[in-house]
Amino acid sequence: MTTAWDPSKPILEIEHLSISFFTRLREIPAVMDFSCKVMPGESMGLVGESGCGKSTVALAVMRDLGKNGRIVAGSIKFKGRELVKMDDEELRGIRGSEIAMIYQEPMASLNPAMKIGAQLAEVPMIHQGMGKEEAWKLARQIVADVRLPDPDRILNAFPHQLSGGQQQRIVIAMALMSKPALLILDEPTTALDVTVEAGIVDLVKDLGHKYGTSMLFISHNLGLIMDVCDRLCVMYSGEAVETGNVVQVFDEMRHPYTQALFRSIPLPGADKNTRPLISIPGNFPLPHERPQGCNFGPRCDYFEKGRCDAADIPMSDIPKGDRHASRCLKWAEIDWNAPPAARVVKQKSPIGRVVLKMEDLKKYYSISSGAFGGGTAKVVKANETLSFEAHEGETLAIVGESGCGKSTFAKVLMGLETATSGSIMLFDENVQSTPIQKRNVDTVSSVQMVFQNPFDTLNPSMNVGRQIIRALEVFHYGKSDEERTNRMLELLDVVKLPRAFADRMPRQLSGGQKQRVGIARAFAGGAKVVVADEPVSALDVSVQAAVTDLLMDIQRENKTTLLFISHDLSIVRYLSDRVLVMYLGHVVETGTTDQVFNPPYHPYTEALLSAVPVADTKVIRKRIVLEGDIPSAVNPPPGCPFQTRCRWKSQVPNGLCDREMPPVRNLAEGHQIKCHLSDDILAQMEPVIKMAAE
């Protein structure tokens, strides 16, 4: 018989938890001496880089560590009951009903062959023995709770008929069907657009309050943690290094790793020339190569030999803190307000002549409506009358949600697709209808691409040096193998990788190192225009800082034109000279970074900016959550493409937005907007992001 749980006690209490994975060769410690408490109704954030043990802790709470994972020490108490000692029968009674988990990839959690309603109703029928009719009624109510339009249609749909954001809402609804006491969310918004993410974050917070659910929220995004959580725990290499309430840790951090994380993310005020980001030196240690003493020691600015590496370091309580603790021997000796010593002010690279000019570019795809190629043909308008120019030495950012046409435009520029109409002038050559197979070597080498996922772009069976030399051979560089080998070693120097890495295989490299190899390969032929398609979104924040810094250094030296495709507006604000905002194939706003990030905005730009989580307690953000998903390019709305989601639409008389495509207007020199709003209304727009008065 279980004793009643006292609601004044922690709902989840983890004490001195250690988890190892056992291989044939060795025991690999994944988590060491981890402790945290989650009180009823509280949301706790777990933050850290990939491989630090965040998800392992979550899986340990679910007791789902697989065959090789084992809890080797410590305890996990849920409502006062010891989870570590529970048998499978007891765990089945808790999993899904009292503790639920939401994973990163929604499609992996849904059965593709079952309708949504049946999948949702299954939860209370299995866990609570609820009748079918009552379970469907509850499913309909929770689908409405997670703000999905037309619940009856959703319940009768299959997962593939929903967008990514809708699928993630269904997974959240499924987790809430049995009203769990603890909800674990593992990077629940990573795969989603920033506007959809904003809606999901608001939803999670509201539902937490409505159902009184406690949360363990895992993320590498500090801004998101600030939006959702009351408390946070920063993890590094298997250990908790700092814990406390969110505002206290953000404003009064007491661990060098937490400080280093904040210095490597682009907060408002960061600038690539005057206030560049500072990446964390060195690399994250592998689990079986951790140093003596402090795990962060080899990368720490305050490291003291003989003291920091003498013995394991315990967590120390910070006086006057709200359960604030740090795993640092020197926290009381460090001047936390001192400016960083490592920051180097860079020269702004001069902007030169126009090297790329697009005029009225259109890209349409023809698709059949039948399952096997029959039926009537439909047209997907991926890019509509795209016009812009890019200059030598300039960073032009292209932003927008998934499906807005960013990557299609990149493929057309690269020659992987040919445009339907319009012109692309690259230097003095029109390459609009020339596929890559027919482009000359000079044209191919002068336009190169850095891809989003470094794991998919390297040949796993070829060493790093050979992959770069192969690119040099394709671009006809050098007269001999020796010349090409020397150039390959120089390129490794340029991307700040040791020359010894030439002999390494891709599997021996971290994500950031692989992306550097991709950049070295892109610049092998002396590229003049580089299209960087979300080049840092798959990387940890500290690695992002190093890779963006590297791109900027190469740009300054080679006067490269960088087309930076991204949905992360904080990195865009930091990097770009000019910004192009796309929506459903149209350019809706273009201008310098300062023009686009300050009012007046296009209503879509305003919503994008308000959706970006900012990890700064001094920033006040106006919250604008867009209703609905981006419309289909097969069946775009009449009139303005954004009118179905625009909050300013009622300010335009005579239903003009529903009927007519807005004209492109000049608001200031170089600042264009595609919108029907009058100048008077645009002038009334307020900043979305502003600093709180000191």
Side-chain angles (χ1 to χ4, degrees):
M1 185 182 140
T2 56
T3 53
W5 169 66
D6 177 358
S8 66
K9 296 269 172 61
I11 198 154
L12 178 71
E13 189 169 15
I14 303 175
E15 288 185 316
H16 306 297
L17 179 69
S18 293
I19 303 163
S20 290
F21 288 89
F22 292 84
T23 67
R24 281 177 300 180
L25 290 178
R26 59 168 77 89
E27 174 189 349
I28 298 171
V31 172
M32 296 91 65
D33 188 33
F34 178 86
S35 301
C36 90
K37 279 181 193 168
V38 182
M39 299 303 285
E42 193 172 67
S43 52
M44 164 73 85
L46 279 187
V47 179
E49 294 170 276
S50 309
C52 72
K54 308 185 296 287
S55 297
T56 306
V57 168
L59 291 170
V61 174
M62 294 297 282
R63 288 287 310 280
D64 184 21
L65 289 166
K67 283 183 183 171
N68 297 343
R70 209 176 304 155
I71 294 168
V72 291
S75 90
I76 306 172
K77 287 196 180 86
F78 171 70
K79 288 187 171 180
R81 297 164 66 193
E82 182 56 76
L83 288 175
V84 174
K85 295 194 171 80
M86 274 188 195
D87 60 27
D88 289 349
E89 188 69 29
E90 287 178 288
L91 286 166
R92 265 196 296 275
I94 285 180
R95 282 191 201 126
S97 59
E98 292 199 71
I99 305 177
M101 187 157 176
I102 295 168
Y103 295 90
Q104 186 168 345
E105 187 47 69
M107 210 43 196
S109 309
L110 296 171
N111 183 336
M114 263 175 94
K115 285 188 175 174
I116 296 296
Q119 296 193 52
L120 290 171
E122 203 176 48
V123 179
M125 285 162 72
I126 289 171
H127 287 294
Q128 290 153 23
M130 195 180 276
K132 186 175 179 183
E133 199 175 319
E134 202 184 339
W136 271 79
K137 214 191 239 168
L138 179 65
R140 193 189 182 286
Q141 182 219 317
I142 289 198
V143 166
D145 272 356
V146 296
R147 301 184 199 142
L148 281 168
D150 194 355
D152 294 317
R153 181 186 70 80
I154 297 278
L155 290 177
N156 284 302
F158 286 99
H160 71 269
Q161 294 171 305
L162 307 182
S163 69
Q166 288 174 330
Q167 286 172 7
Q168 192 61 291
R169 283 167 192 256
I170 290 298
V171 171
I172 290 169
M174 197 183 285
L176 292 167
M177 281 297 284
S178 55
K179 300 192 171 61
L182 177 67
L183 187 57
I184 301 171
L185 302 101
D186 190 359
E187 302 269 14
T189 60
T190 304
L192 305 176
D193 279 311
V194 65
T195 48
V196 180
E197 176 181 86
I200 297 280
V201 164
D202 280 6
L203 173 71
V204 165
K205 283 196 296 191
D206 292 350
L207 293 173
H209 292 142
K210 180 175 178 177
Y211 294 114
T213 311
S214 304
M215 285 189 272
L216 194 61
F217 191 95
I218 297 169
S219 181
H220 64 272
N221 185 330
L222 286 158
L224 212 53
I225 291 287
M226 193 176 117
D227 276 357
V228 178
C229 301
D230 312 304
R231 302 183 60 74
L232 92 154
C233 175
V234 182
M235 289 188 74
Y236 181 80
S237 190
E239 293 180 326
V241 293
E242 184 163 11
T243 183
N245 81 42
V246 167
V247 174
Q248 210 159 51
V249 174
F250 276 39
D251 290 349
E252 298 167 36
M253 56 197 71
R254 289 295 177 265
H255 195 281
Y257 176 60
T258 314
Q259 184 185 56
L261 267 186
F262 273 89
R263 286 176 174 176
S264 64
I265 58 175
L267 297 172
D271 177 271
K272 63 181 176 183
N273 298 311
T274 56
R275 290 192 61 204
L277 302 180
I278 300 167
S279 58
I280 304 174
N283 287 314
F284 197 77
L286 292 170
H288 55 282
E289 293 175 357
R290 290 188 177 110
Q292 276 285 101
C294 176
N295 280 345
F296 188 59
R299 306 174 74 189
C300 179
D301 291 343
Y302 311 105
F303 179 74
E304 192 179 318
K305 200 166 168 50
R307 183 178 169 197
C308 297
D309 54 2
D312 287 347
I313 295 165
M315 287 292 266
S316 314
D317 289 330
I318 312 291
K320 300 181 189 162
D322 172 15
R323 291 183 277 152
H324 191 181
S326 167
R327 196 181 292 274
C328 177
L329 293 175
K330 302 179 72 174
W331 69 262
E333 303 160 32
I334 294 167
D335 179 359
W336 296 100
N337 297 316
R343 185 168 278 147
V344 180
V345 175
K346 309 277 177 82
Q347 283 295 311
K348 190 179 188 311
S349 54
I351 307 295
R353 65 192 175 117
V354 173
V355 294
L356 174 69
K357 188 169 185 176
M358 282 197 182
E359 282 192 43
D360 295 335
L361 184 90
K362 292 185 181 181
K363 175 60 185 172
Y364 293 175
Y365 294 97
S366 183
I367 56 166
S368 63
S369 57
F372 299 102
T376 53
K378 291 185 175 181
V379 173
V380 179
K381 298 179 176 182
N383 288 150
E384 276 279 22
T385 57
L386 211 61
S387 298
F388 74 91
E389 49 188 42
H391 299 75
E392 185 179 73
E394 177 179 60
T395 303
L396 174 66
I398 297 140
V399 299
E401 294 168 284
S402 307
C404 73
K406 307 186 298 282
S407 295
T408 301
F409 137 78
K411 286 175 189 166
V412 170
L413 175 60
M414 298 298 297
L416 301 172
E417 303 268 6
T418 51
T420 307
S421 67
S423 73
I424 306 174
M425 298 299 293
L426 184 62
F427 302 104
D428 301 317
E429 182 187 358
N430 189 348
V431 295
Q432 167 258 331
S433 54
T434 316
I436 196 160
Q437 302 91 319
K438 294 184 180 167
R439 291 186 180 182
N440 62 43
V441 172
D442 286 349
T443 306
V444 172
S445 65
S446 63
V447 184
Q448 284 293 299
M449 195 156 181
V450 178
F451 294 91
Q452 179 171 0
N453 196 337
F455 307 92
D456 295 341
T457 54
L458 297 178
N459 184 333
S461 58
M462 201 185 272
N463 71 25
V464 166
R466 183 74 200 112
Q467 304 209 34
I468 298 171
I469 288 171
R470 179 86 192 88
L472 292 168
E473 287 170 354
V474 168
F475 300 142
H476 303 329
Y477 179 91
K479 296 190 176 82
S480 65
D481 287 348
E482 190 183 354
E483 270 187 57
R484 283 187 281 274
T485 302
N486 287 337
R487 176 66 182 146
M488 176 269 292
L489 294 171
E490 283 169 15
L491 284 163
L492 287 179
D493 294 342
V494 166
V495 296
K496 300 182 173 71
L497 282 176
R499 289 187 168 200
F501 273 41
D503 298 323
R504 287 202 182 182
M505 303 302 281
R507 66 173 185 275
Q508 296 171 293
L509 272 55
S510 69
Q513 289 165 343
K514 283 180 185 161
Q515 194 61 295
R516 284 163 190 258
V517 175
I519 292 168
R521 208 170 47 175
F523 282 92
K528 294 285 180 277
V529 178
V530 171
V531 181
D533 188 0
E534 302 268 14
V536 293
S537 64
L539 307 176
D540 281 312
V541 284
S542 60
V543 183
Q544 277 185 16
V547 171
T548 49
D549 209 27
L550 172 68
L551 279 169
M552 292 297 100
D553 284 346
I554 295 173
Q555 182 186 51
R556 286 183 191 100
E557 201 159 310
N558 299 343
K559 297 184 180 168
T560 318
T561 303
L562 189 65
L563 300 182
F564 192 85
I565 298 173
S566 183
H567 67 271
D568 182 347
L569 285 164
S570 51
I571 208 110
V572 163
R573 181 178 207 157
Y574 169 69
L575 277 187
S576 60
D577 302 303
R578 281 194 308 127
V579 182
L580 194 116
V581 183
M582 287 185 73
Y583 186 82
L584 206 61
H586 294 260
V587 174
V588 294
E589 184 166 8
T590 178
T592 66
T593 308
D594 285 343
Q595 286 169 336
V596 171
F597 277 76
N598 291 300
Y601 316 103
H602 186 281
Y604 178 57
T605 311
E606 179 191 48
L608 274 183
L609 288 171
S610 92
V612 179
V614 181
D616 191 335
T617 56
K618 299 176 199 68
V619 165
I620 298 171
R621 220 165 22 121
K622 186 191 279 186
R623 204 80 167 119
I624 303 160
V625 174
L626 290 179
E627 297 299 323
D629 292 294
I630 195 165
S632 165
V634 177
N635 189 19
C640 171
F642 188 58
Q643 53 104 345
T644 56
R645 301 167 82 193
C646 182
R647 76 188 190 104
W648 292 87
K649 183 176 161 183
S650 60
Q651 305 282 339
V652 178
N654 306 326
L656 196 60
C657 298
D658 296 331
R659 297 193 321 270
E660 284 184 31
M661 178 67 69
V664 176
R665 292 153 56 195
N666 287 315
L667 295 185
E669 192 183 344
H671 189 193
Q672 292 183 327
I673 188 171
K674 201 174 201 173
C675 186
H676 285 304
L677 285 174
S678 69
D679 290 349
D680 293 347
I681 291 170
L682 286 171
Q684 290 167 26
M685 280 194 171
E686 295 174 348
V688 173
I689 298 171
K690 55 186 177 188
M691 301 303 279
E694 289 296 330

